[in-house]
Amino acid sequence: TLTGALNLNVPGQTWVLHPQAVLTRNASTSPGTVLTITSTDIGVSGGIVDGGDTRALPRSGRSPDINGVTVSGVTAVTVTSSAERVTIEKMTIRNAFNNAVALTSAGSVRLRNLYVLNSGSTAIAGNSNDKNVEGTVVEGCLVDRTGYTANTSYHGGGIKLQGDQNNETSTGFRHRGMRIIGNDIRQPYFNFAEAEGANNTGNECIVFQEPNSKNGVVGHNVCVGGSIGISFSKNFGGLIVGNTVYAFSKLGLEVSNGDFCTVTGNIVDGGMGAGENRVPAVVDNHNGIAIWTGAADITVVGNTVRNLRARSDSYGIRVQLNTGNDGHVTVADNVVSVRQDATGIYVN
């Protein structure tokens, strides 16, 4: 066990850790990061990075109701904007009161086969605000129990890749080839009382929100629980394929403000999960797949939507665009099975 902060700042170094080797913070120091990567062509494999903060641990069973607690604490792993071509794989990352893994404008990062659990905010959070970023891949990771110590207005989620939301009018594509592939995301924070009040935001399993980005892929992931399974927006030529989403409280899969995106081969199941993956009874507006304002030339084909737990205003596939939108939305060859009090396919 190494107690303290570790900074990898020498280009080209590779660290292979014993599976039981533990990096953890000194409990007496101020909140910070356990492992920081600040240089190029660095690889880290194996071991355990422990944020050392069990406040992120939920009660057994359903998600706890932790109210009024502000996220302020340790981030387990940070990859900074000066780092490029970084690979982190086969590592367990746990007990971070803030984000478990934070990518800050770091390009060509590969996160593979990680086990990320008990994060206070988002498990894997990528934010790119000040430079072009290409080729970040999050693949084969298991994410379990996230967002348990965030405040009541915004909860952390599973995997989030987000660009500069203030730079949507730029003429160039700032992010290319970002992929979220083959991950298993379970139990983002859920608070039924907040969901009733339409305040249960931020606890999505996957968020891909990259303004001015191109060819993003969210594929072959399994998402269990949370408010939204997959939220995909602001991408040109994106692909959402082969995902399985179930036990969500509000929405299975959504696309907004994207052009020439394809949604195909996904299974969206609103039914209950098993064991501690269960979520409470659904609120209103339980939608399977939604195509929202700003989306154009979208293809929704070959998907399955089933087991929506409808109360009112619930739709298997919902298409809702601005009047005068010049694009097209194609909905074809989908299997939609909903209860009598819900609508199968709705276009407005």
Side-chain angles (χ1 to χ4, degrees):
T1 298
L2 172 64
T3 301
L6 179 62
N7 186 359
L8 304 186
N9 55 12
V10 177
Q13 61 182 309
T14 299
W15 289 60
V16 180
L17 305 178
H18 187 278
Q20 301 304 314
V22 179
L23 307 177
T24 189
R25 73 183 182 99
N26 188 331
S28 63
T29 61
S30 300
T33 300
V34 178
L35 175 62
T36 303
I37 300 176
T38 60
S39 192
T40 59
D41 300 299
I42 290 178
V44 185
S45 177
I48 300 167
V49 177
D50 193 325
D53 200 327
T54 56
R55 288 180 295 175
L57 288 168
R59 297 193 302 262
S60 61
R62 291 183 181 177
S63 305
D65 297 329
I66 301 176
N67 294 311
V69 180
T70 302
V71 172
S72 177
V74 169
T75 297
V77 179
T78 296
V79 183
T80 70
S81 61
S82 59
E84 299 282 343
R85 299 177 301 278
V86 169
T87 299
I88 304 172
E89 60 185 354
K90 300 177 183 177
M91 178 181 287
T92 296
I93 303 169
R94 66 191 185 195
N95 300 339
F97 195 68
N98 202 333
N99 299 321
V101 180
L103 311 179
T104 307
S105 297
S108 298
V109 176
R110 303 289 192 269
L111 304 179
R112 295 174 174 162
N113 302 322
L114 305 179
Y115 178 28
V116 185
L117 71 158
N118 300 327
S119 58
S121 189
T122 300
I124 298 173
N127 292 285
S128 304
N129 296 324
D130 56 6
K131 68 176 186 179
N132 295 336
V133 172
E134 297 189 14
T136 291
V137 177
V138 183
E139 182 178 11
C141 299
L142 172 58
V143 173
D144 196 5
R145 298 193 295 271
T146 68
Y148 289 95
T149 51
N151 58 44
T152 56
S153 63
Y154 186 90
H155 297 295
I159 300 172
K160 295 186 178 183
L161 297 183
Q162 295 179 290
D164 185 358
Q165 307 306 304
N166 297 317
N167 194 38
E168 296 181 33
T169 60
S170 173
T171 57
F173 292 113
R174 295 180 60 84
H175 307 102
R176 301 180 185 222
M178 317 287 271
R179 292 181 288 164
I180 302 175
I181 303 291
N183 302 283
D184 190 341
I185 300 99
R186 307 173 183 174
Q187 302 186 92
Y189 179 98
F190 184 91
N191 184 316
F192 181 63
E194 292 171 17
E196 284 282 299
N199 191 37
N200 195 29
T201 60
N203 59 332
E204 303 93 345
C205 287
I206 293 176
V207 173
F208 192 105
Q209 190 177 58
E210 295 281 357
N212 309 309
S213 62
K214 187 175 182 179
N215 298 335
V217 178
V218 176
H220 306 289
N221 303 283
V222 177
C223 302
V224 183
S227 177
I228 298 175
I230 297 172
S231 179
F232 190 94
S233 65
K234 303 172 182 175
N235 191 268
F236 182 96
L239 177 63
I240 306 96
V241 59
N243 301 283
T244 300
V245 180
Y246 65 96
F248 51 91
S249 68
K250 284 191 174 182
L251 177 57
L253 188 159
E254 67 174 354
V255 177
S256 62
N257 294 296
D259 294 333
F260 298 98
C261 295
T262 300
V263 181
T264 185
N266 301 283
I267 298 174
V268 179
D269 190 327
M272 304 293 279
E276 64 177 358
N277 288 327
R278 289 184 177 272
V279 297
V282 73
V283 297
D284 294 339
N285 302 311
H286 199 222
N287 296 307
I289 297 175
I291 309 300
W292 298 116
T293 297
D297 296 293
I298 307 297
T299 300
V300 181
V301 61
N303 303 282
T304 298
V305 180
R306 63 195 181 205
N307 294 330
L308 297 186
R309 301 187 304 282
R311 289 202 328 209
S312 66
D313 297 325
S314 296
Y315 308 94
I317 298 176
R318 181 173 184 172
V319 180
Q320 187 163 333
L321 304 176
N322 280 330
T323 301
N325 191 296
D326 292 331
H328 301 84
V329 175
T330 300
V331 180
D333 297 326
N334 300 283
V335 177
V336 181
S337 176
V338 297
R339 288 168 43 171
Q340 186 175 3
D341 48 356
T343 301
I345 298 176
Y346 173 86
V347 179
N348 183 29

